Structure formats: C-alpha cells, structure tokens
Amino acid sequence: MKIGELSKATGTNIETIRYYERIGLLPAPLRTNANYRSYGDAHRTRLSFVRHSRDLGFTIEEIRSLLDLSDHPDRDCGDADRIASAHLEQVEAKIDQLSALRDELTRIVGRCRGGLAGDCRVIEALGDHGQCSRAH
Amino acid sequence: MKIGELSKATGTNIETIRYYERIGLLPAPLRTNANYRSYGDAHRTRLSFVRHSRDLGFTIEEIRSLLDLSDHPDRDCGDADRIASAHLEQVEAKIDQLSALRDELTRIVGRCRGGLAGDCRVIEALGDHGQCSRAH
DNA sequence: TATGCACCCTGTAGCAACTACAGGGTCAAG
DNA sequence: CTTGACCCTGTAGTTGCTACAGGGTGCATA
C-alpha cells in the first residue's frame, strides 16, 4: 500500500508517517520503481500501535521502548508495566493540577460584572497572585 | 533593579525575561552605562501578571490581549471575560479528556500479570484500539 | 595593580512532536 | 498530451521556553 492509503487506514498525516520513519520509529519500507514507499500489513500494525500510544499520551521515547519490547516477546514485560504505570501517574498529576486551575479560573471568571477594564476583577486577579485561594 | 533581581523577585528565569522582551510582551527597559537592563516597579508588576497568567495556562497571545486591556482601563472588559471563559472551557475539556485517558490506562495497567512481553496485555492493548472501552 | 568571580550582554541553536511549504517527479484518465 | 492527484526530498515554521558560546562589566580581595 502507498503512503496515502496507509495514512487513511491509520488516520495519520502523511507528513507524520515520513517523520516517524525519519526518527526511526517506523522501519523504512520497500520502494516501487518510481521510488514510492510501499507498505505491508506489519507497517500498518506498527503505526496503529504508535498512534494509539500517542493518543494515550505516551512520548515518542516511551513508545520506542514499548515497541522494542513488542519486538522481543522473550523479554520480561515488567518494563512495559513500569512505563505505563509511570505514565498513569503523570496523567493523574496533570488532572489534579488542571483541576486546581479550573477552580481558580472559575473563581476569577465569576467575578466579572462587565464594565470597564480598569475595574475588571479578572484583570485584577491575574495581576495579583495573593488573591488566589490555593497554590497552582 | 537588574535582570537578576527581577528574576528572583518574580521567580522567572533570566532567559525567559529576555525572551518576553524580544517577543514584545515586556517593554524594553532603560539601560545603564554598562548596557545592563534596568527595571522599575512597573516592569515587576507586568512580569508578575504574565507569570501568573502563564501559570494559569493562558497562551502568550491570550496574555498579549489581556495586557492590552490592562493597559487601556477605558475599554470594555468583556474581552477579558471572554478570553478567561474560553480558557476555562479548554481546561475543562482537557480534564475530561485526561480522565478518559486515566480510565483507559488504569484498565490497561491493571491487566499486567508479569511474565514475558510476548504475553503482555499492556503491549497487546496498545496495539489494539478495539480493546478500548471508550473513545479517547 | 592584578585577578578572580559573579553578573551582564548578544546571537544562535536546541527541545517535542509535528506541520507546512517549495520545487520537483510519476501515473492514469480523458 | 495535458490535467490532476498523488508521490518525493529537504528545509523551515510552530509554542514557550532553555542552553550555550563568546564576550564585556563591576566589585572585592591578595
């Protein structure tokens, strides 16, 4: 299959596919006589793995490690679990942080009563961290 | 005050202060004879506003608009409210998205029973989006 | 007076993970 | 034989910084 078809099959931008190849995340495929990339099912599977992992927020380097494990079924899978667990912790931390932001923003936004910028509580609150109800 | 003092006073990296000046977020300060930047209270206030807004996740462009309003107290503050409200919505959307990720990751991580990568449910789940319980 | 050290300057390059061209080649249909 | 959709490489842009390299300044100490 050509790159455009792989792109549609996996929902990945063509430029992104070439980018993944350039950074060594996807193996370089065979080429046709016209120098077009020619992909097989293994490529599609691997790219789906990458996209799914990216959608779940794993970094490229994490995915590299996960792919490496996936390429070596005889290895211990503890690493995969550690990577995923660490990532889960990061996601949870990010959720906590964003929740604090949401609370602060809600408080700030709720104070706007319209009128002139000179009297705006939103702008005032942004200038004065001391008004915040908790750390963020 | 010199750039190092402003840096300490606001908890902002020196390079970041110079960066903000370069992109026009902070006005260029006066210079000493030795060509050192010399800041006053107005700079410190403005930089605090910027840092606080960044901490709350506003983009540089949003901050530019907020600063512009802050510089023109006679304008209507509806824009400030709209920027903050839109940002709040984005934060809430991001929280929802991350919560879905957390659920999916929890499900995936929970399935690892140790052993070989070839049998690893984590790696299997990453390769197969169809196993996901909901959109993410 | 010399010299060390902390601080400051400019300009450029790097990070993540893409995305967007510019400038060209290939191929099938009409 | 030309039009249009597709493909190629290579480079530069995005966001918000951060990290040098290679130099100048200013103050205290030997």
Side-chain angles (χ1 to χ4, degrees):
Chain A
M1 112 185 77
K2 283 190 287 184
I3 198 168
E5 300 168 76
L6 180 63
S7 165
K8 269 170 198 141
T10 61
T12 312
N13 198 319
I14 288 180
E15 322 266 36
T16 305
I17 297 174
R18 287 198 281 247
Y19 168 71
Y20 286 160
E21 179 182 328
R22 202 161 60 243
I23 65 172
L25 211 56
L26 289 184
L30 294 174
R31 298 289 183 124
T32 66
N33 286 343
N35 200 31
Y36 287 9
R37 288 173 179 82
S38 178
Y39 297 98
D41 261 12
H43 287 102
R44 209 202 50 246
T45 304
R46 196 175 178 89
L47 181 53
S48 295
F49 184 104
V50 170
R51 285 314 307 172
H52 192 198
S53 303
R54 285 293 300 135
D55 285 346
L56 287 168
F58 288 94
T59 65
I60 298 284
E61 289 315 306
E62 285 167 341
I63 295 169
R64 229 185 265 281
S65 304
L66 291 169
L67 279 172
D68 193 50
L69 277 170
S70 160
D71 288 340
H72 297 91
D74 52 317
R75 294 221 187 120
D76 187 288
C77 78
D79 282 348
D81 191 49
R82 268 187 289 283
I83 292 170
S85 297
H87 182 54
L88 175 56
E89 269 179 45
Q90 281 173 33
V91 168
E92 283 170 342
K94 189 77 189 171
I95 288 173
D96 288 348
Q97 192 201 337
L98 284 178
S99 299
L101 287 196
R102 181 197 47 204
D103 295 349
E104 208 54 60
L105 281 168
T106 303
R107 233 174 41 78
I108 289 174
V109 167
R111 293 177 56 199
C112 182
R113 298 274 173 276
L116 298 181
D119 308 313
C120 183
R121 301 290 170 198
V122 171
I123 286 172
E124 184 193 310
L126 288 173
D128 184 6
H129 194 114
Q131 293 186 15
C132 292
S133 59
R134 58 161 158 152
H136 59 87
Chain B
M1 109 185 77
K2 283 191 288 184
I3 198 167
E5 301 169 74
L6 181 64
S7 165
K8 270 170 198 141
T10 60
T12 313
N13 198 318
I14 288 180
E15 323 267 36
T16 305
I17 297 174
R18 287 198 280 249
Y19 168 71
Y20 286 160
E21 179 183 329
R22 201 159 63 243
I23 64 173
L25 211 55
L26 289 185
L30 294 174
R31 297 290 183 125
T32 68
N33 286 343
N35 200 30
Y36 287 9
R37 288 173 177 82
S38 178
Y39 297 96
D41 262 12
H43 287 102
R44 210 196 49 233
T45 305
R46 198 177 178 89
L47 181 53
S48 295
F49 184 104
V50 171
R51 287 313 309 172
H52 193 198
S53 302
R54 284 294 300 136
D55 285 346
L56 287 168
F58 288 94
T59 66
I60 298 284
E61 289 314 307
E62 285 167 339
I63 295 169
R64 229 185 264 282
S65 303
L66 291 168
L67 279 171
D68 193 49
L69 278 170
S70 159
D71 289 341
H72 298 91
D74 51 318
R75 294 218 189 122
D76 188 290
C77 78
D79 283 348
D81 191 49
R82 269 187 290 282
I83 292 171
S85 297
H87 182 54
L88 175 56
E89 268 179 46
Q90 281 173 33
V91 168
E92 282 171 342
K94 190 76 189 173
I95 289 173
D96 288 350
Q97 193 201 335
L98 284 177
S99 299
L101 286 196
R102 182 198 47 204
D103 295 350
E104 208 53 61
L105 280 168
T106 303
R107 234 174 42 78
I108 289 175
V109 167
R111 293 177 56 199
C112 182
R113 298 272 173 276
L116 298 181
D119 309 314
C120 183
R121 300 291 170 197
V122 171
I123 286 173
E124 184 193 312
L126 288 173
D128 184 7
H129 194 114
Q131 293 185 17
C132 290
S133 59
R134 56 162 160 152
H136 58 86

